[in-house]
Amino acid sequence: MRLLSPRFLSALLQLGVLSLFASAMARPDPLSHAVPAPDTGLRLSAPIQTWDEGIPLGNGTMGVLLWGETNRIRLSLDRGDLWDERPSQAFQKVRSRFTWAEMQRMVREQRAAEFNEVFDANYDYNGPPTKLPAGRLELVLAPDALLSEFELKLGPALGIARLSDQREIHAIVGADAVKAPVTLVQVPPYAFREVRLRSPDSVQKLGYPPAQPGDSERARWFLQPTVEGGSYAVYVGWREQDGAVLMGVTVATSREGKDPVAVARSRIDRALKDRWEIRYRRHSQWWTTFWEQSSVSLPDSHLQQHYDLVRYFYGAASRRGAPPMPLQGVWTADAGTLPPWKGDYHNDLNTQMTYMGYQAAGHFEEGAAFLDLMWELLPRFRDFARSFYQAPGAAVPGVMSLAGQPLGGWGQYSLSPTMGAWNAHLFYLHWRYTGDERFLRSRAYPWCREIGECLLHLLQKGPDGLLRLPLSSSPEIFDNTLRAFLKPNTNYDLMSLRMLFLALEEMARELRRQDEALGWRTAAHQLGPYHAKPDGTLLLDEQTELPGSHRHLSNLMGLYPFNLITVDGPSWDRESIAASLRQWEQAGTRAWCGYSFSWMAALRARVGDADGAVKHLDIYARAFTLRNGFHANGDQTKSGFSDMTYRPFTLEGNFLAMAAVHEMLLQSWSPISATVDSTPLAIDSIPSRVHASALDEIVLRVFPATPSTWSDVSFEDLRAEGGHRVSAIRKGGVTTWLRVVAGRAGTIRLRIAPSMPDLQWNRPIARHEGTDVRIHLRKGDVLEGIQPGPPRRP
């Protein structure tokens, strides 16, 4: 590797020619792009005859699916805060027995019927609490205005319905109006005939009165009464403008004013006073800023399209000031039924994995929507800890409503106390990736500490001195049977607890709370070793093996996303990784869902298995997505990848696929380890990632799991832990350019796969450490390396 000596750099500075050198170090022609290329959007031929294959539009508060056939365009409408929060009738009957103590009694006495009555049957699939769809708008076109194609242009988030004569109908959900959402639709005047609104048939299952329709010369609306004096209005107005018909659609609720129709009318009147070009310009400017955060360029066009689409989902469905994404984001079912799984917040995988892709892409504002909700619900989580667990601190229901109400359903997991630890991991990651000390002090540590306090209270010390929960499970092994309660602690619970306690230790040390840090470190030590066979294969608990193929990789949490067992760890770690993945491979994928494949892709990438990562990612993208890119739980091709062939879509599989791409291109995790050779160490010898600052020394692993088939690949401004921005180009299988913009002062170590390239650097590298190079940077410093000649293939 060629290095420029400090003496030479000093001479350049004195001569005033360093700027000339910097220009010579300019990035070569990039393979990446800020705004997605036009061909990575969606182009779907008409007809689209089902809502869940529609073109997805949204701004976090309002969601729209654009679909239709012949001369009819449908817009399925959703609003993120439309919820019926009434407790289920079944819950009212069992409220007094809905406690952790009662659960323990039922398990101890093997009272399965009573357990299901109290903790499962209250999850009423046809009743409240539930997410609500808003309704549907139908635009009837002229008889000869026939639909030929639908398109989503990702760059400006523009939906298009193209007619057979190539004229177009345009639709946007205004990106700049989260608090007062408006969908604008521009229609050629010759095609415009009639506007119809439909209230959702599904709300009839909730006992609501019929919707109250209304109309005027250039507007239609309906008011849907809900419960307890609540209501919402769907309103559409239109007028001719610049040779087109401009339509505005909104959903307003009684929380915004006593008369939702009046609120909606005022909103649409204001929107229609502006020209389309003005609204569209503000909208597209927001999206340009969104796309400029980062980009990747992949040689696989299908995976590139899916990656760009999933990034788009963050901008369309998750915004600060709006509710975060539940199972279906802002695209609630428009099928005459309530949404699958009530469209709720599942905290036993779905919410956590939905928010695992934003950090590396730099979409911190979009990701913070979920953390904001968790923070706002902290008083509710404290109440839940007291009322259900009789514990201090806070606890997060494994399945909950927007208001944080515990919904029950498969109580083995929906009421598992460690789900809150998994949610805490997202606070921890947000801090690691931003390096924001204010966030650490005011949000991350306080929130995570309250979750830790509840769990510490529930843990009981056994005769061997180890801490165990009285009940323990491993999602979703053995489904909703009492057999699902395994011997405490399961590896899933053990890994979730250890991750939380060691993360709390790290955060406490960062805040110079040494006594608290020691307490968390002691608790992590007292959990004991992971449960494994002699060859390192991870078990479910102390004695239970993986029973066969399963959709939830719950006993592998320590590999990904928690970094408890890593390829950088001791020999036992590497043996355990190999043996455990071999067991999962032998069990097969017959019981997997779509998210299982994208999760396994991310996990394989994390442990350096590039070929395994791309294989699982490709299967997911080709067999477990609908026409519009939504993740479907079952194999839509019926190719034998899984016995699950059902259709309902949820979004976590999409975001896991995005995270898998990041893992293949750039990794910056630091290991958390409290065991060696599966034996607990003395507390004072547990390896710690804490230096002068926990973020002071970061390992940047560039192209750590990039398959050989991706010989030409690049990324720009992906984020690493510590707030660093990293860009790189790989051509012919060799890294030819690399740039790091330091997000904070500290030392970084560069590790570039498959071997350190022969780069010429713009500043001296401090020293080599094996395959790594090490350099100290100040905040804002730019480290850049470039291949000066033709790349030499390793």
Side-chain angles (χ1 to χ4, degrees):
M1 179 180 300
R2 298 183 181 90
L3 301 179
L4 296 175
S5 70
R7 180 177 299 176
F8 181 57
L9 284 173
S10 177
L12 288 175
L13 284 168
Q14 293 174 12
L15 293 171
V17 297
L18 189 56
S19 60
L20 296 177
F21 174 77
S23 65
M25 291 285 291
R27 179 187 63 190
D29 291 338
L31 298 176
S32 55
H33 45 268
V35 176
D39 60 356
T40 65
L42 291 173
R43 297 192 71 164
L44 306 178
S45 60
I48 299 178
Q49 295 178 313
T50 177
W51 64 277
D52 57 6
E53 292 185 354
I55 296 294
L57 304 170
N59 71 353
T61 298
M62 187 175 187
V64 171
L65 290 166
L66 176 65
W67 55 293
E69 73 280 328
T70 60
N71 67 329
R72 293 175 183 266
I73 292 178
R74 298 183 177 90
L75 280 74
S76 297
L77 307 174
D78 189 18
R79 181 167 166 141
D81 56 0
L82 278 185
W83 270 82
D84 186 330
E85 288 279 1
R86 291 174 297 168
S88 71
Q89 293 183 356
F91 178 72
Q92 307 285 17
K93 300 175 183 177
V94 301
R95 185 188 294 268
S96 62
R97 288 177 290 163
F98 194 80
T99 68
W100 180 242
E102 282 290 285
M103 180 181 285
Q104 293 175 63
R105 176 188 65 79
M106 295 174 203
V107 174
R108 186 170 57 249
E109 298 174 0
Q110 292 293 290
R111 300 178 67 88
E114 183 181 7
F115 183 96
N116 288 333
E117 175 194 7
V118 174
F119 302 110
D120 190 5
N122 60 316
Y123 190 81
D124 183 358
Y125 285 93
N126 293 310
T130 183
K131 178 75 180 67
L132 301 175
R136 181 191 296 179
L137 181 150
E138 293 190 355
L139 174 60
V140 181
L141 305 177
D144 59 343
L146 299 178
L147 292 164
S148 64
E149 185 180 57
F150 290 89
E151 183 176 359
L152 170 62
K153 289 188 179 294
L154 289 178
L158 174 66
I160 299 173
R162 191 166 287 113
L163 304 177
S164 56
D165 62 5
Q166 296 304 301
R167 297 196 210 190
E168 295 177 349
I169 295 166
H170 294 166
I172 60 171
V173 180
D176 57 325
V178 174
K179 294 295 187 182
V182 172
T183 298
L184 292 175
V185 184
Q186 192 183 50
V187 187
Y190 89 95
F192 185 85
R193 285 296 182 273
E194 184 181 357
V195 177
R196 300 172 183 173
L197 289 178
R198 286 183 52 186
S199 61
D201 296 336
S202 55
V203 300
Q204 297 175 7
K205 301 178 185 296
L206 301 171
Y208 294 175
Q212 303 165 11
D215 65 84
S216 64
E217 182 181 358
R218 293 179 178 269
R220 302 280 186 276
W221 63 86
F222 69 77
L223 179 69
Q224 176 62 66
T226 55
V227 292
E228 299 174 348
S231 61
Y232 68 89
V234 175
Y235 188 101
V236 55
W238 62 90
R239 69 181 180 89
E240 293 184 10
Q241 181 193 96
D242 299 333
V245 175
L246 183 64
M247 298 170 52
V249 189
T250 194
V251 182
T253 74
S254 52
R255 289 185 299 278
E256 299 174 286
K258 293 182 179 180
D259 185 350
V261 173
V263 172
R265 179 184 296 113
S266 174
R267 187 178 297 164
I268 294 302
D269 287 347
R270 289 195 305 272
L272 294 181
K273 286 180 181 178
D274 287 337
R275 301 172 68 88
W276 163 270
E277 289 76 11
I278 294 173
R279 288 268 175 167
Y280 181 69
R281 187 183 308 118
R282 292 203 297 261
H283 167 84
S284 58
Q285 285 173 346
W286 187 96
W287 278 99
T288 297
T289 301
F290 173 87
W291 291 116
E292 287 174 345
Q293 297 306 309
S294 64
S295 64
V296 306
S297 181
L298 307 176
D300 185 315
S301 60
H302 186 64
L303 293 181
Q304 178 74 60
Q305 180 191 45
H306 194 72
Y307 176 85
D308 289 342
L309 181 65
V310 178
R311 276 192 68 198
Y312 164 83
F313 288 165
Y314 271 128
S318 189
R319 300 284 191 84
R320 298 197 86 163
M325 290 179 280
L327 291 176
Q328 289 90 30
V330 290
W331 300 296
T332 300
D334 181 14
T337 60
L338 294 176
W341 302 288
K342 301 158 76 75
D344 59 30
Y345 293 92
H346 269 51
N347 293 309
D348 68 344
L349 179 151
N350 305 79
T351 56
Q352 295 95 333
M353 293 308 200
T354 292
Y355 284 95
M356 273 297 286
Y358 78 84
Q359 298 89 351
H363 294 309
F364 297 112
E365 286 294 298
E366 290 70 34
F370 183 70
L371 303 183
D372 288 347
L373 178 67
M374 293 293 101
W375 181 259
E376 292 164 8
L377 291 178
L378 189 54
R380 186 73 181 253
F381 296 156
R382 292 183 187 124
D383 291 342
F384 180 56
R386 286 192 294 269
S387 64
F388 185 80
Y389 294 107
Q390 289 80 52
V396 178
V399 178
M400 70 180 198
S401 69
L402 176 61
Q405 182 181 172
L407 303 186
W410 288 26
Q412 298 88 335
Y413 324 107
S414 67
L415 297 164
S416 167
T418 54
M419 299 308 174
W422 197 351
N423 285 69
H425 185 241
L426 292 173
F427 278 88
Y428 171 72
L429 284 182
H430 193 89
W431 165 63
R432 291 283 304 180
Y433 272 87
T434 61
D436 185 343
E437 184 176 348
R438 181 179 178 183
F439 176 80
L440 169 65
R441 187 179 301 277
S442 64
R443 290 282 177 102
Y445 185 68
W447 197 92
C448 297
R449 180 180 56 197
E450 295 215 36
I451 300 298
E453 287 172 354
C454 177
L455 289 166
L456 275 178
H457 181 85
L458 299 181
L459 288 163
Q460 302 168 356
K461 185 175 289 189
D464 56 3
L466 299 182
L467 298 176
R468 294 182 179 87
L469 294 167
L471 294 176
S472 190
S473 61
S474 189
E476 295 169 338
I477 302 292
F478 302 128
D479 296 340
N480 61 334
T481 67
L482 292 187
R483 189 184 175 194
F485 287 107
L486 304 173
K487 187 173 181 179
N489 290 322
T490 62
N491 266 333
Y492 168 80
D493 282 339
L494 178 58
M495 291 168 179
S496 298
L497 290 162
R498 175 162 288 136
M499 174 278 302
L500 174 62
F501 294 160
L502 291 177
L504 280 164
E505 180 222 353
E506 181 180 322
M507 291 189 283
R509 289 194 190 279
E510 187 77 10
L511 295 172
R512 297 174 179 82
R513 302 181 182 185
Q514 302 301 336
D515 290 343
E516 293 180 40
L518 180 60
W520 295 119
R521 191 173 184 81
T522 302
H525 171 74
Q526 291 175 328
L527 293 169
Y530 308 119
H531 309 301
K533 296 166 67 173
D535 67 351
T537 303
L538 290 167
L539 300 169
L540 296 175
D541 63 10
E542 188 177 308
Q543 57 197 18
T544 309
E545 290 198 46
L546 185 72
S549 181
H550 198 271
R551 61 192 171 274
H552 198 299
L553 282 57
S554 55
N555 72 324
L556 302 182
M557 297 287 292
L559 281 64
Y560 181 87
F562 292 161
N563 307 328
L564 295 164
I565 302 170
T566 74
V567 290
D568 284 357
S571 59
W572 184 88
D573 278 23
R574 292 186 291 276
E575 293 166 4
S576 179
I577 290 169
S580 300
L581 290 179
R582 186 163 54 246
Q583 181 190 55
W584 273 83
E585 189 169 343
Q586 291 169 351
T589 64
R590 305 294 297 193
W592 286 22
C593 290
Y595 65 73
S596 312
F597 287 90
S598 49
W599 184 356
M600 183 60 81
L603 189 155
R604 293 275 182 173
R606 177 64 62 90
V607 302
D609 179 5
D611 291 337
V614 75
K615 180 186 79 170
H616 287 93
L617 188 59
D618 185 68
I619 291 172
Y620 154 78
R622 296 187 183 280
F624 292 88
T625 57
L626 304 178
R627 289 177 70 192
N628 61 357
F630 284 162
H631 155 247
N633 280 254
D635 179 359
Q636 301 304 294
T637 66
K638 297 181 173 57
S639 300
F641 294 119
S642 173
D643 290 340
M644 304 284 191
T645 58
Y646 63 154
R647 186 180 178 86
F649 92 84
T650 53
L651 291 173
E652 74 288 333
N654 293 114
F655 294 105
L656 277 166
M658 180 180 179
V661 171
H662 294 155
E663 294 291 335
M664 297 164 81
L665 301 179
L666 176 69
Q667 297 177 18
S668 57
W669 51 268
S670 297
I672 305 177
S673 179
T675 59
V676 173
D677 296 329
S678 197
T679 303
L681 296 172
I683 295 172
D684 59 0
S685 65
I686 299 175
S688 173
R689 67 165 69 176
V690 182
H691 304 277
S693 164
L695 300 173
D696 185 50
E697 184 157 324
I698 301 291
V699 180
L700 300 181
R701 304 165 180 87
V702 181
F703 300 124
T706 306
S708 57
T709 53
W710 290 11
S711 59
D712 291 357
V713 61
S714 72
F715 60 88
E716 187 160 11
D717 285 340
L718 288 185
R719 302 316 199 270
E721 293 190 8
H724 307 301
R725 289 187 288 126
V726 186
S727 308
I729 294 177
R730 189 188 198 204
K731 288 187 176 181
V734 178
T735 300
T736 58
W737 177 75
L738 173 69
R739 183 185 66 203
V740 179
V741 180
R744 59 177 289 115
T747 300
I748 63 168
R749 291 167 56 195
L750 281 174
R751 186 179 304 165
I752 305 176
S755 62
M756 189 61 69
D758 190 17
L759 298 179
Q760 190 174 72
W761 300 96
N762 70 330
R763 59 178 65 239
I765 301 297
R767 64 177 182 268
H768 292 261
E769 293 184 355
T771 59
D772 299 353
V773 295
R774 182 183 178 114
I775 184 171
H776 183 84
L777 298 173
R778 296 167 300 179
K779 183 176 181 180
D781 279 353
V782 177
L783 172 67
E784 192 165 10
I786 192 169
Q787 179 66 248
R792 294 199 296 260
R793 180 180 292 278

